[in-house]
């Protein structure tokens, strides 16, 4: 075969052999010797060339140049570049979207649209989880809250009270535990199949909610929970749960009473008295005629309401006509205490914004969205409402104010002749599980608030000992330091003067301004008594001070946050709360001596609500405070131990004090609470001021309050130094 046959091609046995190697092997196997390589050296040269070419061809670049490899690789590279480009674009877009979201949150917060800001924050958190930039916003805009319903499982939705036309925001189903919900005045919709829906208003937190089966719910009424009625100008009372009409009785509803012969049914009109005499039924009915002499409200004609007025509240009816209608439908008029319980004035006064006051006339019931904490509408304004409670021998109490009265009438008690048939007075009805105490049908003459006289200096020296403490011997311990976008946060541990514990002091150091920084001590509102951890408290009430160049120190006062008292704390512990707040303040100020960044001569205090209440005693015994701003506080004629009574401390408060209050503060009315406190402050007239903003216990426009607070501290502590450029 060697002599005769040509060998098979090498490619059959070695598919990967380079073509040059195959040709070399073929040449070596030629039959004709003259066609073979002339020497082994010649073969070596060709093998070396083949080897070099082999290595060159098997590098990545060589492989890429091969069409079979190059085309798929180019496609893959294009896809990879596209994917990376898309990812980069997406990341860039997401970063821009997140930054825009933060800007939007800040803008909404500035506009006081706190629920919209919270909703935007929640949306960002869902799309971009674990973003530290949102942490402070969660604290400032959210409040840890639990919602419990019985039965459980109800659907919970909310919206801003100030935006009744907004869409409902779903927040889950009960029972919620420690969910951060908007720190704002809210409208709630709570729904459970087979039960009466609840549409109510509330600041946080919500009390436990009892849902009523539809079969047990009277039509058109809402359930008002049991509770205490106080601070209404009437003696405090405990009220059982009851039903109250959701809206005022309308003309159309009263028409049913007229058409059914209500004015001709003596059983509906017992004991109509006038000038001490019980009137005969026929005689009494002559007093209750419409403008055409037919039975009916004063403004009607021919026994009918005027066209188009069916949804308006009925008015022009006497208290006796209101009672007759109530008997007709199997109900009663509410007592003044029951009416006040339903109104349940919140710390917000938004109900006045939506209530119908100072207008041209009444509005259709429910059209103003003036919603109460239990779901009643139009308790604020529209028409004033007759109650069953007598004031004096004859008059009946009329509550809520009306379309032609100023808004402050919502908070006032007044009475009218029960025969009065005025265009601004109507009514709504109540239904009781059990007959209420007959004493609720007679209101004593409300006494104006009375305030005692301050004790003399000798006695006050004794009272001041309750607030005395020993200066700390041990320095504060720096527990943690955190760099945050708008400030540097330090957490100190300061030894308490009355126990072996150390309490937390949070120190916010500004990123602008020049040390030593003016220092403002913050005293928090009532949320301090509800929250379990001071870290959960927001900075909205004082953060602007830090951003403007002042330091803020925020002690964890006795009885607050992680230092809350147990529910069964004895009275002596509770009596120590205010003195211990003052001692904690003193120890926090002692700690300033170890920190050169903080100015120990120019120290201010900002107290809000509960914190402002505490400051009415603390300022008199803490001379290191140079100036103070007290927001949402007032004086009350409550019986207190002498060492806790602001009456004894206010005249001895010599620092400049700015009192900031709401025009419609239901807790601290201007005339009877804020002004008496202001008048008793011991600072000279030129060093104290009383600023009244629009709104209730909390400001309607925070930026307005921010401006006067910064101006006050600029005036009395000096402007914040601007660092040289």
């Amino acid at each position: 075969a060697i002599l005769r046959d040509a060998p098979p091609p090498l490619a059959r046995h070695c598919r990967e052999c380079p073509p040059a190697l195959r040709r070399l092997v073929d040449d070596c196997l030629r039959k004709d010797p003259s066609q073979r390589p002339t020497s082994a050296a010649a073969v070596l040269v060709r093998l070396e060339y083949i080897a070099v070419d082999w290595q060159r061809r098997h590098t990545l670049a060589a492989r890429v140049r091969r069409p079979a490899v190059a085309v798929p690789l180019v496609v893959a590279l294009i896809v990879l570049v596209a994917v990376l480009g898309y990812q980069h674009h997406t990341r860039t877009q997401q970063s821009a979207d997140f930054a825009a979201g933060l800007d939007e949150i800040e803008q909404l917060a500035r506009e006081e649209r706190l629920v919209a800001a919270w909703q935007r924050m929640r949306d960002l958190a869902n799309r971009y989880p674990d973003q530290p930039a949102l942490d402070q916003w969660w604290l400032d805009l959210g409040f840890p809250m639990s919602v419990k319903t019985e039965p459980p499982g109800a659907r919970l939705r909310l919206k801003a009270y100030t935006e009744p036309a907004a869409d409902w925001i779903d927040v889950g189903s009960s029972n919620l535990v420690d969910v951060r919900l908007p720190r704002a005045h809210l409208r709630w919709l709570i729904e459970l199949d087979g039960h009466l829906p609840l549409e109510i208003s509330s600041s946080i937190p919500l009390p436990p909610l009892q849902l009523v089966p539809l079969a047990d719910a009277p039509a058109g009424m809402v359930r008002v929970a049991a509770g205490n009625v106080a601070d209404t100008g009437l003696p405090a009372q405990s009220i059982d749960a009851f039903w109250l009409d959701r809206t005022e009785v309308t003309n159309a509803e009263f028409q049913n009473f007229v058409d059914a012969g209500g004015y001709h049914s003596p059983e509906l009109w017992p004991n109509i008295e006038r000038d001490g005499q019980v009137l005969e039924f026929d005689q009494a009915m002559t007093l209750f005629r419409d403008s055409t002499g037919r039975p009916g409200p004063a403004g009607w004609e021919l026994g009918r309401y005027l066209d188009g007025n069916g949804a308006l509240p009925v008015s022009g009816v006497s208290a006796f006509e209101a009672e007759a209608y109530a008997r007709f439908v199997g109900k009663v008029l509410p007592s003044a205490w029951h009416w006040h319980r339903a109104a349940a004035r919140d710390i917000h006064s938004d109900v006045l914004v939506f209530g119908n006051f100072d207008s041209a006339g009444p509005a259709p019931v429910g059209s103003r969205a003036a919603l109460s904490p239990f779901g009643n509408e139009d308790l604020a304004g529209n028409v004033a409402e007759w109650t069953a409670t007598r004031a004096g021998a004859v008059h009946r109490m009329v509550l809520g104010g009306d379309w032609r009265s100023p808004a402050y009438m919502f908070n006032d008690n007044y009475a009218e002749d029960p025969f009065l048939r005025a265009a601004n007075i109507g009514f709504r009805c109540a239904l009781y599980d059990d007959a209420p105490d007959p004493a609720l049908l007679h209101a004593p003459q409300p006494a104006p608030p009375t305030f005692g006289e301050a004790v003399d200096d000798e006695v006050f020296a004794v009272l001041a000992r309750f607030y005395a403490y020993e200066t700390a011997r041990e320095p504060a311990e720096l527990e943690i330091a955190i760099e945050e976008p708008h400030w540097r946060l330090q957490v100190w541990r300061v030894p308490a003067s009355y126990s072996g514990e150390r309490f937390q002091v949070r120190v916010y150091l500004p990123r602008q301004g020049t040390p030593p920084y003016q220092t403002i001590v913050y005293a928090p509102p009532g949320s301090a008594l509800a929250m379990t951890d001071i870290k959960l408290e927001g900075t909205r009430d004082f953060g602007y001070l830090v951003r403007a160049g002042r330091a803020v120190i925020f002690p964890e006062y006795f009885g607050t946050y992680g230092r809350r008292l147990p529910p069964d704390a004895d009275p002596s512990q509770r009596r120590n709360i205010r003195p211990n707040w003052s001692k904690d303040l003193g120890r926090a100020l002692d700690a300033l001596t170890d920190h050169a960044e903080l100015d120990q001569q120019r120290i201010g205090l900002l107290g809000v609500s509960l914190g402002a209440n505490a400051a009415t005693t603390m300022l008199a015994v803490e001379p290191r405070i140079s100036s103070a701003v007290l927001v949402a506080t007032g004086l009350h004629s409550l019986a207190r131990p002498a060492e806790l009574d602001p009456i004894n401390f206010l005249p001895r408060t010599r620092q400049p004090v700015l009192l900031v209050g709401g025009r419609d503060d239901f807790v601290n009315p201007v005339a009877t609470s804020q002004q008496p406190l202001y008048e008793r402050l011991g600072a000279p007239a030129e060093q104290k001021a009383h600023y009244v903003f629009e709104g209730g216990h909390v400001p309607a426009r925070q930026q307005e309050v921010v401006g006067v607070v910064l101006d006050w501290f600029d005036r009395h502590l000096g402007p914040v130094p601007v660092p040289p450029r």
Side-chain angles (χ1 to χ4, degrees), residues 213-252:
L214 283 171
D216 299 335
M221 305 189 85
V222 300
R223 187 72 168 171
V224 179
N228 292 322
V229 177
D231 300 323
T232 62
L234 298 173
Q237 288 283 351
S238 179
I239 298 296
D240 293 333
F242 67 102
W243 293 92
L244 188 69
D245 285 346
R246 184 177 63 83
T247 66
E248 298 148 332
V249 173
T250 65
N251 281 315

Side-chain angles (χ1 to χ4, degrees), residues 262-283:
Y263 283 93
H264 303 287
S265 304
E267 68 277 8
L268 300 177
W269 305 80
N271 300 326
I272 301 175
E273 291 188 20
R274 191 170 200 178
D275 299 329
Q277 299 292 321
V278 176
L279 302 181
E280 295 291 336
F281 175 71
D282 291 340
Q283 180 186 7

